[in-house]
Structures are given as structure tokens and as C-alpha cells.
Amino acid sequence: MSMATRTHKKSPAPHVADSHDLIRVHGARENNLKDLSIEIPKRRLTVFTGVSGSGKSSLVFNTIAAESQRLINETYSSFVQGFMPTLARPEVDVLEGLTTAIIVDQQRMGADPRSTVGTATDANAMLRILFSRLGKPHIGSPNAFAFNVPTVRASGAITVERGDRKAVKATFTRTGGMCPRCEGRGSVTDFDLSALYDDSKSLNEGALTIPGYSMDGWYGRIFRGCGLFDADKPIRKYTKREFHDLLHKEPTKIKVEGINLTYEGLIPKIQKSMLSKDVDAMQPHIRAFVERAVTFAVCPECDGTRLSEAARSSKIKRINIADACAMQVSDLADWVRGLREPSVGPLLESLRQTLDSFVEIGLGYLSLDRPSGTLSGGEAQRTKMIRHLGSSLTDTTYVFDEPTIGLHPHDIQRMNDLLLRLRDKGNTVLVVEHKPETIAIADHVVDLGPGAGTEGGTVCFEGTVEGLRAGGTITGRHFDDRASLKDTVRKPTGTLEIRGATTNNLRNVDVDIPLGVLAVVTGVAGSGKSSLVHGSLPHRSGAAGEDVVTIDQSAIRGSRRSNPATYSGLLDPIRKAFAKANGVKPALFSANSEGACPACNGAGVIYTDLAMMAGVASTCVECDGKRFQAEVLEYTFGGRDISEVLGMSVAEAETFFGAGEARTPAAHKILVRLADVGLGYLRLGQPLTTLSGGERQRLKLATHLAEKGGVYVLDEPTTGLHLADVEQLLGLLDRLVDSGKSVIVVEHHQAVMAHADWIIDLGPGAGHDGGKIVFEGPPADLVAARSTLTGEHLAAYVGS
């Protein structure tokens, strides 16, 4: 029966299969959740709100999304599961109605030197096929345009077994697009030899200044036993041959004291052991060495395009693949639209859709050759969204972690449209969010709280946005809060001059950033704010040469053994105080040192790997999760043992170390700073891996407040902050300025803009449409003029 001739009968009774329209969570106890039960409607947009640390991520990511992920992994064979990460079952009694979860989080993309925006999405792969089909001259398969594929040539005999064995001579070639000089990295490294060794000394006298290369261990044996040079001769007296062997010799097998070892020159050894790693992941002393010893220059052979000469010679309409990847995505989309070639019609259509998704999501200002490690958290999250926008999947759960991070109010509208589009395709969309503009579009709101940490973990409100506004919860009360413009603004005490800034898309920008005030740099995403602040700010400012302290959003390096006490340096004065009071050594009071419980090595939990099944973390029976040996817990200070102190929140510890017999000024000072940045609810011993992005940034801020910097540069400090916490942050920024510091904030939050003394607005658009200063002056003038996008949104926000 065709659609046209079908007669309308009375709709049948609802099918039982359609009745599963809720995700039911019962008895969730993950992290700080207090036996929480909740029902979430499917195929709707649900927003989770609540102060930082109230348990939003614990519910959405660590319970709902984690269980969905675990159940999907269980559908694979045991063999496949053996290669997958083992996921523990979340602490929850019942979870029903789950669907496949796709998590779009803010984890920065891996900073692999060969990963770009094009390789991280499918755009690069499609362009390579396009050039291999249409490029003139034709140079080979799509691999010939890939900067990650080297050209390989091999020849030899292969044996074919067919009845009687025959050896056949064969040659094999694969044409890759990798530039042979820089191996697809776009930059080459040069070594400052004076940073590797002191040439007036011999090896035995300790000439090598590379971290870890001491003559006392194996390196000493290898250098003395390789027989290539005299270890007692100063390096400046080496012959050409000896010098080459020390620095550049390829790996060579040698025998030292009867043991087979490999000798390799210093430079290839450093390249393998240090330069292959992401700079941010290095230990501080190695990072300092690399920054001192190695200079990165644009590869002279490929001019930074990463591609071989052959790949650059093949063109479509006078454009080669390197030019295409260097274009701004919005321009590349226009270029692709101009290509008419029926033989690759479906490919062009697919490529157009991907590039249009970039533009639609507000990333049209990126280029495909941009290294993925340089994207901000918000940009990385939106890049990950691109592949889902064209997806044909429905009835999926999409989980977003503050998708409006790094977005100007102008761009938030676009993001909202995308979230609604995903929902309208029949998907369940769960969003953890603080911005009222996004909470306003929710079909269903879940407000967690009432406080943070141990004071949170319960549902304060469930229902519609109107219900939230009328409800008495913290989010409801602050929902319509609007910061007002200041009556008077502070006068600058000096200026920080930036002249001729051209980083990324900046167009020869000259700007004077006022010192001694709260200056806010704003503008739409991609307008050049970070380029201006991070790329052009000198490390010292003013005549006094004050240090500039930059606090960005990069993740804190720390394992599950690190916690706020170890990271902020708080544990040192606490350990010393315990040691002094009990007449023992401080190392006993560290769970990573001598005082650690032997059964769990001071972790407090024992991780059991169950091979192909999900691993289990169980509390250590020996120390009952306290992480210390029993005898260490007998030592007390101020009536508390060390595990009780680590179990305190920052606020409790501040009182404890502030007065009475436990008074410890050094510890108290650090705790006051932690409380100042709004982390009063954090437990001192809470593993760093459980902290949210905003909490990490504020922990960094608290740690840096101790530094003697005169100028503080903050990159979106309101990230992950609830509306109620923003006021506290503004108070802290005010106190910093009043104490004589200069504060420069890159920010989109209108409350921070309204509170500023001076605003620098970049734009007017993103990418090559931005990069200019469109306004500088006090916020009141920006609101009065309404000459920029920021001005219009700020005027609407303050209601003038």
C-alpha cells in the first residue's frame, strides 16, 4: 500500500516497546552523590546545573555515561575486551533505559606534533582523495598527499608456494607525501651544543650537562667502554671523527664488561627520548633543558607545509593541497563549492558538508593545518562535535560538558541551535552547564546541590526552567542575576605596550594595556584574544620589570596519588609540624613515601585487574582507605592524625591550622588562598584526577598567588563556575587589583566585562575577519556606543 492510498485508521494502542521513555537512576553514590534517585526524559534536552563540585559530573559522566560505555564494551567478545580499557561498574543500585552514549568532553586533543585539525576530523582524508583523483600532474594514491606517510622503496625475493616453491624477484614502492627533511612535522630542530656539554672538561670530569646523563651509572660504562673516544680528554680536543661519534653516531652494538649494549650519539638519543614527547608532558627539569638546548625552526625544504615536493606540485585550479589546508575553513568551503566534477560528486558533497559544519559551529576561522594541540578546550570540544552533526544515528544519548566554554554570547546562540538539532533528530541530549542562556532552552532541568563537595550530591530541583526560576535553589535565585556597571573605574598606574603584534590572525595590532586595573580582553571566538595576550605579552612588564604570571586552562599534571595538599605545597608545612610535634622524621607523614601502607602502597585502594572483565577498585582492608601505616596514625597533632587532616575540607583545615595548639602559619597562609579562589569545599586529600576543569584552574590560581608577579593573566577563569561563584571570583580579582597587582583577563562572561575597569574588544569577526581592535575603553562607553557585537550583548545584559 503506498503512502498516498493509505487510509487513516484509529491509531492502535501504544506499543509496549514505546513505553521506555525515561532513563531511571536509583541509588547513585559515585563520589559525593548521596544515594540519589532521578528520572530523565528521553529524546529531550536535559540540563544539569548546580555549584562547582555539587556532583553534576559524578552523575552525568561517572554514572550514566560510564555505565552506558561499560555495557557497550560488554557486547564485544572477551578477546576484544582484553584490548579495551577496563571500566569499573559505577556505584549505583539501578540504571534503566540507557542508550548508547556519545561523550563530547573538554579534554584537550592530544598534542601529537603530527596531528592537525584536518587529520582529527575527516576533512584531510577527503581532500587527499580529491587531489589524488583531480590533481594535475597525477602523482599517486591518496597516500602521496599524506604528510604522515613516508615514501618507501624495497626490493627482494618473495617465495610463492604453489606445488613447487618458486622465488620471484619483486620490487615494492609506496609513494607517501611526508617531507623527508622534517618527517612531516613542519619544523626542524637545531641543538645549541653548549647546552649539551662543557667542552673544557672531559667526560670523566662531568662534561655532559644533559639531565640524567651522569657518568656514575650505565651511561658512564657505555662511554668508557665503547672505545670510540678517550673519556679523559677534554671535548674541545676531540678529532672530527670522535666528535661525530659523540654527537651523531647511529645505533651500534657494543660489549661492555661482557654485557651486550647499544651505543648511540647524543643527538639521536635526545631526539628519541625527549623530543618525541609532548613538551607539556615532560618533567619540569627536562622541559627546562629542552627549551634551553633545542630551537625549533620552520623546515626549509617544505616551508612548514610538512609535505614533499611532489605532493606540493600537484594542483587543482592553481591550488595545491598545502594551500588548501592553509586556507581558513570558510574560504576552503567556498573553493570546494566552485569545483564541478561529476566523477567525484559524492565526495565533494561530503567534504562540503563537513566544511559547512565547521562554519556552522563557529569554527570557520580555523585552518586544517592548525596543530590540534593548540586548540583551546572549547574549540577541541566543538571540533569533536563536527563528526556527530552529520551522523544518521538516532535514539542516542549525547553528553556535553559545558559546550559554551570559550564562546562569546554571540556564538552561544549557534551552539544552542545545534543542541536543539541533535535533540530534534530523536536523541537524548544531556548537558552540564552554568550559562543561563543555555539553561533557558532546556526541556528539563536537574539542579544538584545545595552546596559543593560533602554539602552537595542531592537533587534540589527537577522540572522546567520556569519552575527553576521560581524555586528557591541557589541556581534559581541567581538565574536572573545581572552584574551592573561600576559607577567609577580605577585609573591606570601605567601601560603595557604591545606594538605590531602579528601572531596568527592579528593584523599589526598596537595596543596599550593599562596596568594597576582590571583589564578584560574580549571578542568572538577566533578573534585573536589568546594570540594577543599569550603571543604578544612580554614576560616582564613596565620599568620595574615585574614578572607576568600566566594562568591558563591546561590540565594539571598529576596522578591519582596527587591531591590539592601535594600540588599547592601545603603538605610540606603539615608534615614538618607533625614531625616536630612527635619527634620523628617528616617522610613518615607522606603516603607516597615511608609512611605508606605496605598493602596498597599508600593509594588507599587496591586495583584488581580482572583481565578481560572490568577491573575493580576496592578499599584497602589493611589501612581502611587511610593510606598510612597503623603506627603512623598513632602520631597526632592538635588531637588529629594525618589521615584525619587529609580528610578535612579546606574550610575546616583553615580553622584548624589558624588558631589553638595546631596553629601553623605556613599551612594557614596556603589554605586562605585556596578558600579565596572558592575551593573551600575541596578535601585536602582528594585525588587531582577527580577535579573539574574549573577547579583545576582555580587550584593553579591559588598556587600562583604566592608568586611575586606584578601582572596576572587569566584565561577564562569563570570556566566551570556557577553563577553564584562568579561573584566570589570578582571579589578576588578586585582584592588582587587593590593590593597593587595588574590583572588581565581573557573572558566572555558578561558579569566580568561589566565589572572591568577597561575593555579591549577584538574583532569584528573571527579568523581573517578579526584580528583588529574594535574598541578600547571603559565598559560604560562600550555599552553606550553599542558599536560591536560585544557592546550589543553587554548592553542587553546590563539592561541599558
Side-chain angles (χ1 to χ4, degrees):
M1 192 190 287
S2 76
M3 286 298 288
T5 59
R6 181 178 291 170
T7 52
H8 283 286
K9 291 183 183 158
K10 207 170 72 167
S11 59
H15 195 287
V16 67
D18 296 327
S19 62
H20 302 280
D21 50 4
L22 290 173
I23 295 175
R24 290 188 182 81
V25 182
H26 200 281
R29 297 178 298 281
E30 201 61 33
N31 296 335
N32 66 338
L33 298 179
K34 295 180 181 153
D35 220 357
L36 179 145
S37 299
I38 191 175
E39 293 185 342
I40 300 163
K42 282 194 194 171
R43 295 177 282 284
R44 296 289 180 271
L45 173 63
T46 302
V47 174
F48 294 81
T49 62
V51 296
S52 310
S54 58
K56 302 181 299 295
S57 299
S58 302
L59 174 62
V60 180
F61 292 94
N62 306 354
T63 304
I64 298 172
E67 180 65 354
S68 173
Q69 207 87 49
R70 191 181 74 83
L71 292 173
I72 291 166
N73 286 7
E74 283 190 356
T75 62
Y76 298 113
S77 67
S78 324
F79 174 74
V80 174
Q81 285 183 47
F83 296 98
M84 300 176 96
T86 52
L87 304 166
R89 188 179 184 285
E91 280 280 309
V92 60
D93 296 333
V94 182
L95 264 178
E96 283 177 351
L98 291 179
T99 68
T100 309
I102 293 174
I103 300 173
V104 188
D105 59 13
Q106 294 170 34
Q107 290 297 318
R108 296 287 173 110
M109 293 192 163
D112 182 283
R114 290 209 191 92
S115 171
T116 63
V117 169
T119 58
T121 54
D122 296 332
N124 209 288
M126 290 189 264
L127 270 179
R128 293 202 300 265
I129 300 170
L130 189 68
F131 274 87
S132 73
R133 300 284 166 84
L134 304 183
K136 298 275 183 291
H138 175 77
I139 58 160
S141 72
N143 278 341
F145 294 94
F147 55 75
N148 286 332
V149 180
T151 299
V152 179
R153 289 190 185 82
S155 61
I158 58 168
T159 306
V160 182
E161 290 189 24
R162 283 203 199 112
D164 51 345
R165 304 172 114 197
K166 275 190 217 139
V168 184
K169 200 79 174 151
T171 58
F172 164 78
T173 54
R174 178 183 69 195
T175 308
M178 179 186 282
C179 165
R181 170 81 198 272
C182 65
E183 298 187 348
R185 288 163 186 262
S187 63
V188 286
T189 50
D190 274 337
F191 284 84
D192 173 4
L193 298 181
S194 65
L196 304 186
Y197 54 75
D198 176 349
D199 67 356
S200 63
K201 293 179 178 174
S202 69
L203 289 176
N204 278 340
E205 288 166 343
L208 297 182
T209 51
I210 308 163
Y213 282 61
S214 106
M215 292 296 284
D216 302 335
W218 275 106
Y219 282 117
R221 293 191 196 183
I222 291 171
F223 286 129
R224 292 187 192 106
C226 64
L228 296 171
F229 30 70
D230 179 357
D232 287 316
K233 182 158 75 170
I235 290 178
R236 63 166 63 135
K237 293 192 176 159
Y238 277 18
T239 61
K240 257 196 178 144
R241 173 93 212 156
E242 286 176 320
F243 196 64
H244 175 270
D245 287 347
L246 175 69
L247 291 182
H248 301 287
K249 187 141 182 93
E250 58 285 350
T252 312
K253 295 263 184 287
I254 57 169
K255 215 177 185 98
V256 177
E257 299 168 20
I259 298 166
N260 290 328
L261 295 169
T262 301
Y263 173 81
E264 189 174 12
L266 292 177
I267 285 178
K269 187 103 179 142
I270 291 171
Q271 278 173 324
K272 281 181 197 160
S273 66
M274 296 180 190
L275 300 191
S276 59
K277 292 195 180 88
D278 169 17
V279 181
D280 294 334
M282 294 175 181
Q283 292 166 290
H285 67 289
I286 292 183
R287 184 176 175 171
F289 164 74
V290 168
E291 285 170 353
R292 197 171 62 238
V294 182
T295 52
F296 295 89
V298 172
C299 171
E301 208 155 294
C302 67
D303 203 18
T305 60
R306 306 157 175 251
L307 288 158
S308 64
E309 200 176 334
R312 299 196 308 274
S313 69
S314 178
K315 298 185 176 180
I316 304 174
K317 287 192 171 176
R318 298 195 301 282
I319 294 271
N320 67 22
I321 191 166
D323 301 332
C325 288
M327 276 185 200
Q328 188 167 308
V329 167
S330 52
D331 297 344
L332 180 60
D334 293 340
W335 179 74
V336 170
R337 258 189 219 96
L339 298 178
R340 298 268 178 275
E341 185 55 59
S343 63
V344 287
L347 175 72
L348 282 171
E349 182 54 35
S350 206
L351 181 57
R352 270 197 294 268
Q353 280 178 356
T354 302
L355 296 173
D356 287 343
S357 296
F358 268 100
V359 177
E360 200 180 328
I361 211 162
L363 292 177
Y365 59 87
L366 294 178
S367 59
L368 295 183
D369 61 4
R370 167 98 174 250
S372 57
T374 63
L375 297 179
S376 69
E379 286 171 336
Q381 189 176 18
R382 297 200 291 289
T383 303
K384 290 177 200 167
M385 268 182 91
I386 285 168
R387 57 180 46 191
H388 303 305
L389 289 180
S391 162
S392 319
L393 286 173
T394 67
D395 255 337
T396 308
T397 301
Y398 283 95
V399 186
F400 291 97
D401 186 7
E402 292 188 52
T404 57
I405 279 187
L407 284 186
H408 187 271
H410 169 68
D411 302 306
I412 290 179
Q413 189 54 54
R414 277 165 146 173
M415 177 57 76
N416 285 350
D417 294 342
L418 292 168
L419 295 173
L420 293 170
R421 245 179 57 195
L422 283 173
R423 177 202 66 186
D424 294 345
K425 275 170 65 177
N427 297 306
T428 306
V429 182
L430 307 181
V431 183
V432 171
E433 189 51 86
H434 292 296
K435 294 262 171 77
E437 297 97 318
T438 300
I439 300 172
I441 63 162
D443 300 309
H444 187 74
V445 180
V446 177
D447 189 21
L448 294 171
T454 48
E455 263 123 68
T458 59
V459 175
C460 297
F461 172 82
E462 277 184 85
T464 60
V465 179
E466 284 67 44
L468 176 72
R469 271 197 169 106
T473 66
I474 294 186
T475 310
R477 287 202 307 273
H478 287 273
F479 193 82
D480 293 309
D481 272 11
R482 294 291 179 263
S484 51
L485 298 172
K486 291 199 238 177
D487 298 331
T488 56
V489 291
R490 301 180 183 93
K491 291 279 173 279
T493 55
T495 52
L496 219 171
E497 291 184 4
I498 293 177
R499 293 289 176 266
T502 52
T503 316
N504 297 333
N505 66 335
L506 294 178
R507 301 204 219 162
N508 217 4
V509 168
D510 294 345
V511 64
D512 292 337
I513 299 179
L515 295 176
V517 298
L518 176 58
V520 170
V521 179
T522 186
V524 293
S527 57
K529 302 180 298 296
S530 299
S531 306
L532 179 70
V533 172
H534 298 309
S536 314
L537 259 188
H539 287 302
R540 307 184 81 75
S541 69
E546 292 177 305
D547 279 339
V548 175
V549 178
T550 305
I551 303 160
D552 59 12
Q553 292 184 23
S554 57
I556 288 176
R557 300 279 159 201
S559 67
R560 54 187 175 217
R561 287 180 166 276
S562 316
N563 52 45
T566 55
Y567 182 83
S568 62
L570 172 66
L571 202 57
D572 286 340
I574 292 180
R575 279 199 309 238
K576 282 179 188 145
F578 265 92
K580 196 172 169 194
N582 293 286
V584 288
K585 53 184 175 178
L588 280 177
F589 301 100
S590 166
N592 298 329
S593 186
E594 290 183 31
C597 158
C600 62
N601 288 331
V605 281
I606 291 176
Y607 295 91
T608 316
D609 184 9
L610 301 176
M612 69 260 310
M613 283 159 66
V616 177
S618 49
T619 305
C620 170
V621 212
E622 194 101 342
C623 65
D624 197 22
K626 290 181 176 168
R627 305 175 56 196
F628 292 91
Q629 295 173 19
E631 49 268 36
V632 174
L633 299 180
E634 287 169 14
Y635 299 118
T636 59
F637 175 65
R640 301 287 185 97
D641 66 40
I642 183 76
S643 75
E644 288 173 328
V645 168
L646 289 177
M648 289 179 182
S649 69
V650 167
E652 286 172 61
E654 191 187 341
T655 318
F656 179 72
F657 289 109
E661 55 176 316
R663 189 170 168 275
T664 313
H668 187 251
K669 213 158 50 184
I670 298 172
L671 288 160
V672 169
R673 287 203 299 271
L674 288 170
D676 267 354
V677 295
L679 294 177
Y681 60 88
L682 274 194
R683 280 186 303 104
L684 302 185
Q686 189 174 330
L688 283 189
T689 46
T690 63
L691 265 54
S692 71
E695 286 169 342
R696 287 178 188 163
Q697 197 190 2
R698 298 201 298 288
L699 180 56
K700 263 198 237 179
L701 173 57
T703 311
H704 283 301
L705 286 178
E707 292 180 16
K708 291 289 172 275
V711 180
Y712 283 89
V713 178
L714 306 180
D715 191 356
E716 293 184 44
T718 58
T719 299
L721 272 188
H722 186 266
L723 299 161
D725 299 328
V726 172
E727 290 173 25
Q728 188 174 2
L729 180 78
L730 291 175
L732 173 71
L733 297 180
D734 273 344
R735 288 202 299 279
L736 272 175
V737 175
D738 293 338
S739 70
K741 311 270 191 226
S742 303
V743 180
I744 301 165
V745 184
V746 175
E747 190 53 88
H748 293 295
H749 201 296
Q750 287 118 314
V752 181
M753 292 183 210
H755 201 73
D757 297 308
W758 191 263
I759 285 188
I760 295 168
D761 192 12
L762 283 129
H768 60 45
D769 299 327
K772 292 194 289 221
I773 304 279
V774 287
F775 175 84
E776 39 183 330
D781 294 1
L782 177 62
V783 168
R786 298 188 190 214
S787 54
T788 69
L789 279 170
T790 309
E792 285 172 29
H793 283 280
L794 187 57
Y797 175 83
V798 297
S800 66

